[in-house]
Each structure stands twice: as structure tokens, then as C-alpha cells.
Amino acid sequence: MNELGLLDTQKAIKDCKDTFISALAQELDLSRVSAPLFVLKESGFNDNLNGVERPVSFDIKESGKIAEVVHSLAKWKRFALKKYGFEMHKGLYTDMNAIRRDEIVDNIHSIYVDQWDWEKVICAEDRNLDFLKDTVRGIYKVIKFTCESVREKYLLDKFDMPSEITFVTTQELEDTYPNLTPQERENAVAKKYGAVFVMKIGGLLKSGKKHDGRAPDYDDWSLNGDIFVDYPIIGRGLELSSMGIRVDRASLLDQLAKENAMDRLELPFHKALANGKLPLSIGGGIGQSRLCMFILGKRHNGEVQPSVWSDREIENCKKQGITLL
């Protein structure tokens, strides 16, 4: 396998990003918009993730208000769709940069998050699994195209990516692999199929446990999922995207009630959504560094992304001959 040096890696990173986002924008009919690095705490725009992660926050001298560095733009994007007047089945994408201070860093996790956040307007008839799957197939097609194009340009060995992505629910994973952890199930199903969309994340399974946490106020837990690809270089499935059809009024109220979070209805975003003032939408995030890591055959996120790593992680990389940016 051809190993890229530091400078060629930087060139290849740009090619990965340029090729992918150009093809994605065409596939999903998206236009680029600028995005905030931080939002006011009182707005309710910040992504609560699993509900326990602490956002990086600071007070604004002029107003005394508290601003939070975004975790993601899952809610902000939906508001932006209305503000910018996007038409039916058209949408936006943006370069999102975030800080997740509570992330436990390893070869695929960093406290610095860079991803393409995207969102597009849909109608009530689109809120179904068929529409979700068609959108996932389009995104996977772009991932596969980008991988093949960039690896051919830089004379890297070809990846044997399947022609189609497979769909499986979290309950099917629990039924098939009852003795494995959720992460082990993801690894197993990614290895089995090569590329898989794990659906229906956030609600309780038959076991009474969740496959994974998902905030109750953006994805509809019955119409969402994560894209995984098998990545033998690191010996596991690699999540490249989290996405889904967004909550409507009914699913918002249902999921807030299940999470004992009805107080969020007092926040501006949630009020607007509950009162039908925001468009129905589908959207997600696609990890920029993870995609580059996968396409370029890297073993560590830090080979394609400059960040801050723990002493333990730095030492582990030295032992494995991994050069961090």
C-alpha cells in the first residue's frame, strides 16, 4: 500500500473534502450556508447530545448573556431552512466545527469535531422509512464515489466497498447479538455487510435498554440511524454519519415526555417547532476527518485532523509509528 507523507496527506484531505461535498450537494440538492461557532444558551439551539455532555461556554461582556460553543447544528439548521426560505426538497449544508470537552479521545474520537451538517425541507408524505432509505443510498453512493476517485488519484490500494448499503434496526441487532454490547453489534454487522445503516436509535429496546443515546428534540427515533462501514485497518466498524427524519410536533412531544424533558418546550426553538412554525425536514452530520481517515487508509483521526490529545494517546501513537498532525 502506498503511504502518503504529511504534505501529500494534506493535499489528499482537500481532495477528499472537495470531491465529497460537491457530489453530495448535487445528490441532495443542497446549497452552502455559513454556520455559527457558538449560540446563546437561552435559545435552545445547541445539541444536547446524550444530555450529560458539558458545552464549552462563556459570558459575553456586552450583554452578560451566556454563549455555548456548539456540539452540532442539528436544531439551528432547521431554523435556518425557514429563515433562508428554502423550497420543498431543497436544503443547506455547512462546515460545522465544534468542541466536545467530555469526549474520551482515541483513534476515532477527538474533542474537536469537524463535520458537514446538512438539512433539507420535506413534506409530511416523506416522513417514512422508504424516503429515509433512499436518502441514505444517495449519501452512500457519494461516499463510495469519493473513496474510489481519491484513492485512484493517489495510487492507494482499492477498498472492496459493497455496491449497496444494508439496512438493519437496533432491535434486529439486539435479537441477533444479545450477548454483545451495542458497539460490538455495530462492529459485527459492519464486518458482515461492509456498509450498513443502523436504524431506530434513541428509544428503548425489548431488553429495556437503549442501543445508544439520541437527543429527543431533533431526530425522530423511529426514522433515524447511523452509517457504518467496515474498516479492517483499525479492526472495527467506523461510523461516518448520523442522520434522520426530524421530529414533527407529535414525535417531539412523545420523545420529550419519555426523557422527562418537557421543560424544553419553553425554549424558542421548541416553541416554534411545537407551534408548527418550522418546516418538516431531514438532515444529519457527516464526519469530515472520519471520512478522510477512511478514504486515505489512516489508523488515527489525528493523522488527518490537528487536535489536542491525552499523554496516553500520544504515547500509544508513538509506539505504533503514527504521526499526529
Side-chain angles (χ1 to χ4, degrees):
M1 176 178 174
N2 180 32
E3 290 286 346
L4 296 178
L6 288 177
L7 183 55
D8 282 339
T9 293
Q10 292 287 2
K11 294 176 180 178
I13 289 170
K14 183 177 188 303
D15 279 334
C16 285
K17 293 184 177 184
D18 290 350
T19 301
F20 177 83
I21 199 56
S22 176
L24 183 74
Q26 183 175 1
E27 177 70 26
L28 299 185
D29 204 353
L30 308 176
S31 299
R32 188 188 184 282
V33 302
S34 300
L37 176 60
F38 43 82
V39 294
L40 290 178
K41 180 179 181 179
E42 64 193 46
S43 71
F45 278 144
N46 207 355
D47 182 354
N48 297 92
L49 300 178
N50 293 309
V52 296
E53 294 87 351
R54 302 169 300 157
V56 174
S57 62
F58 58 94
D59 63 294
I60 301 172
K61 181 177 180 180
E62 181 181 27
S63 65
K65 293 184 177 181
I66 302 298
E68 295 179 344
V69 176
V70 296
H71 278 147
S72 85
L73 297 172
K75 300 170 190 171
W76 176 89
K77 291 178 297 180
R78 194 165 177 181
F79 188 86
L81 286 178
K82 178 181 180 181
K83 183 174 183 178
Y84 298 146
F86 280 93
E87 298 176 355
M88 182 62 61
H89 295 141
K90 296 183 181 295
L92 61 86
Y93 78 87
T94 188
D95 290 281
M96 192 282 295
N97 293 285
I99 300 173
R100 297 184 182 175
R101 62 190 291 185
D102 291 328
E103 197 76 66
I104 305 300
V105 301
D106 56 23
N107 62 327
I108 64 171
H109 295 94
S110 170
I111 61 172
Y112 168 51
V113 178
D114 56 342
Q115 66 183 31
W116 293 286
D117 259 330
W118 66 274
E119 199 87 8
K120 66 184 293 183
V121 180
I122 62 173
C123 61
E125 290 73 22
D126 297 325
R127 300 191 77 259
N128 59 71
L129 285 175
D130 287 339
F131 186 86
L132 174 64
K133 289 180 178 180
D134 283 344
T135 305
V136 171
R137 290 187 185 101
I139 295 173
Y140 178 70
K141 180 176 71 174
V142 174
I143 292 173
K144 191 173 188 297
F145 165 75
T146 305
C147 185
E148 292 172 348
S149 299
V150 174
R151 293 187 70 81
E152 180 178 2
K153 178 176 180 178
Y154 287 89
L155 304 178
L156 300 172
D157 294 341
K158 291 183 179 180
F159 280 162
D160 186 20
M161 295 182 68
S163 58
E164 299 290 338
I165 190 168
T166 298
F167 297 88
V168 62
T169 68
T170 52
Q171 187 58 62
E172 288 170 337
L173 286 185
E174 183 181 64
D175 293 343
T176 304
Y177 307 107
N179 297 321
L180 299 184
T181 66
Q183 181 179 311
E184 290 169 342
R185 293 169 193 162
E186 293 165 351
N187 294 338
V189 76
K191 184 176 181 179
K192 180 177 181 179
Y193 294 112
V196 63
F197 186 65
V198 177
M199 300 185 295
K200 300 187 177 183
I201 301 173
L204 295 178
L205 301 174
K206 293 178 182 177
S207 63
K209 299 178 181 179
K210 292 184 178 184
H211 178 83
D212 198 0
R214 194 60 55 93
D217 44 13
Y218 56 94
D219 281 352
D220 185 323
W221 294 342
S222 66
L223 294 168
N224 70 354
D226 294 341
I227 295 176
F228 287 88
V229 291
D230 184 36
Y231 196 33
I233 288 176
I234 62 172
R236 62 173 295 175
L238 185 65
E239 179 191 331
L240 296 180
S241 176
S242 176
M243 58 173 286
I245 291 174
R246 306 311 197 187
V247 290
D248 58 6
R249 173 184 168 83
S251 54
L252 172 69
L253 296 178
D254 177 63
Q255 291 176 186
L256 287 178
K258 288 177 178 176
E259 294 295 290
N260 295 316
M262 297 297 286
D263 58 310
R264 295 188 194 179
L265 290 173
E266 298 302 313
L267 297 172
F269 170 83
H270 301 74
K271 281 184 178 179
L273 181 53
N275 292 330
K277 295 182 179 180
L278 295 179
L280 297 175
S281 67
I282 184 174
I286 301 165
Q288 294 187 15
S289 290
R290 288 229 187 139
L291 183 67
C292 292
M293 175 184 170
F294 172 69
I295 291 175
L296 301 181
K298 300 295 187 180
R299 291 176 288 164
H300 198 286
N301 205 23
E303 294 181 274
V304 295
Q305 176 208 88
S307 184
V308 175
W309 309 98
S310 66
D311 292 341
R312 169 187 55 80
E313 194 64 20
I314 292 172
E315 185 61 30
N316 286 340
C317 288
K318 286 182 179 179
K319 291 178 180 178
Q320 298 177 59
I322 295 173
T323 301
L324 300 175
L325 297 182

